Amino acid sequence: MSRTHKRNAALAPVLILLTFLRADAAKSEAGETSRLHGSTSAQVEAILSPTHAHGLRFDTLASLSEAVLPQLARALNDPSEKQRWLNALTAIGVIGGARSQSVIEEFIWGRFKGELDIDTFRAMMIAVEALGWSKSGPTTEALKQLTDGTNPEHWRSLPWTHTIAGSPDYARVILSEVAINGLSYTGTASAESTLISLSRSPHHRRQVGNIEEGLIRNRAVRERGLRACWGEGKSK
């Protein structure tokens, strides 16, 4: 099997997972609304529930306030909660704001050292893209992090690695691709300028599809809002 085929086989579950996590579920779970009207703790448990394996609804996430961030952050710091990290990061991203950004950046840059397993790397992909999912729009710093992150070299200074097909370089390219995706969800003029520049001179050939889709998505978010575009597009 060629290196390319090995890499594609390794990434297939990751890419499908990202599509599911951003998909706006066509049908809500029975009883979900009543569960989310409970205490802060009950809200978080409902979000983290395995019943959301096929996608978290944007309206559900947008209804959350910063009051749930400490509980979501605790889940991220607990290795036994690893299977719920993806939902936790998605919720934190949509809540948005400086506090959410700090939680996400600590997860990316301060939480791990050494070689990551595949499940943790999947969480990292979500974490990077989630910087662009804020319901109130990105902070200036989040926009900068995503813009800088479109260059694979930006990720070379991470304290951890993840090896795909024998090389950690692939993981850096993947992180740059999801940074492009996250940037496109901001719907900002700054993002469009960056994406246009990348379309003329991408950092890596694998970014081309993300850039093309990103330009379309960024304009759609500007015109229709993040909620309307939540389930559109997929990570490459």
Side-chain angles (χ1 to χ4, degrees):
M1 183 182 290
S2 70
R3 289 169 65 89
T4 299
H5 287 164
K6 287 181 180 178
R7 179 176 182 272
N8 290 341
L11 291 182
V14 178
L15 304 182
I16 293 171
L17 176 64
L18 273 174
T19 300
F20 281 150
L21 283 171
R22 290 207 318 276
D24 188 5
K27 296 182 180 179
S28 62
E29 299 290 339
E32 177 182 1
T33 300
S34 61
R35 291 171 69 194
L36 290 174
H37 285 346
S39 66
T40 297
S41 179
Q43 284 182 297
V44 173
E45 285 303 311
I47 290 298
L48 297 180
S49 170
T51 60
H52 289 295
H54 294 292
L56 292 164
R57 299 175 63 227
F58 184 81
D59 287 345
T60 297
L61 299 173
S63 71
L64 300 174
S65 73
E66 288 189 346
V68 305
L69 286 177
Q71 190 174 350
L72 291 168
R74 283 195 297 273
L76 291 181
N77 286 326
D78 185 347
S80 70
E81 298 274 24
K82 182 181 289 189
Q83 298 306 314
R84 310 210 292 178
W85 285 354
L86 303 174
N87 283 4
L89 286 162
T90 302
I92 293 167
V94 174
I95 291 168
R99 290 177 62 194
S100 290
Q101 180 189 328
S102 294
V103 173
I104 292 174
E105 289 188 356
E106 172 61 23
F107 185 81
I108 297 171
W109 294 94
R111 176 82 166 77
F112 302 95
K113 288 182 172 61
E115 180 73 7
L116 300 190
D117 61 32
I118 184 61
D119 288 333
T120 304
F121 184 66
R122 287 170 178 162
M124 286 298 175
M125 293 174 67
I126 294 295
V128 171
E129 190 166 330
L131 288 169
W133 293 345
S134 172
K135 62 187 178 185
S136 57
T139 64
T140 300
E141 182 59 27
L143 200 56
K144 181 181 186 303
Q145 287 292 329
L146 288 168
T147 301
D148 291 347
T150 64
N151 186 339
E153 288 302 304
H154 173 74
W155 305 107
R156 192 172 290 278
S157 59
L158 284 166
W160 53 265
T161 57
H162 179 65
T163 303
I164 300 173
S167 173
D169 290 338
Y170 285 130
R172 298 182 189 115
V173 173
I174 292 168
L175 292 176
S176 76
E177 292 177 83
V178 293
I180 290 169
N181 293 349
L183 190 63
S184 73
Y185 275 99
T186 68
T188 60
S190 173
E192 178 157 3
S193 177
T194 297
L195 292 168
I196 289 173
S197 178
L198 286 171
S199 71
R200 295 168 180 158
S201 181
H203 294 293
H204 193 280
R205 64 183 181 278
R206 280 193 53 85
Q207 295 180 333
V208 172
N210 299 80
I211 295 165
E212 291 174 350
E213 291 179 3
L215 278 165
I216 295 171
R217 186 184 301 118
N218 190 67
R219 290 164 185 164
V221 172
R222 290 181 72 180
E223 293 171 1
R224 295 156 46 205
L226 178 59
R227 179 183 182 278
C229 301
W230 179 245
E232 296 181 0
K234 61 179 69 174
S235 292
K236 292 292 185 183

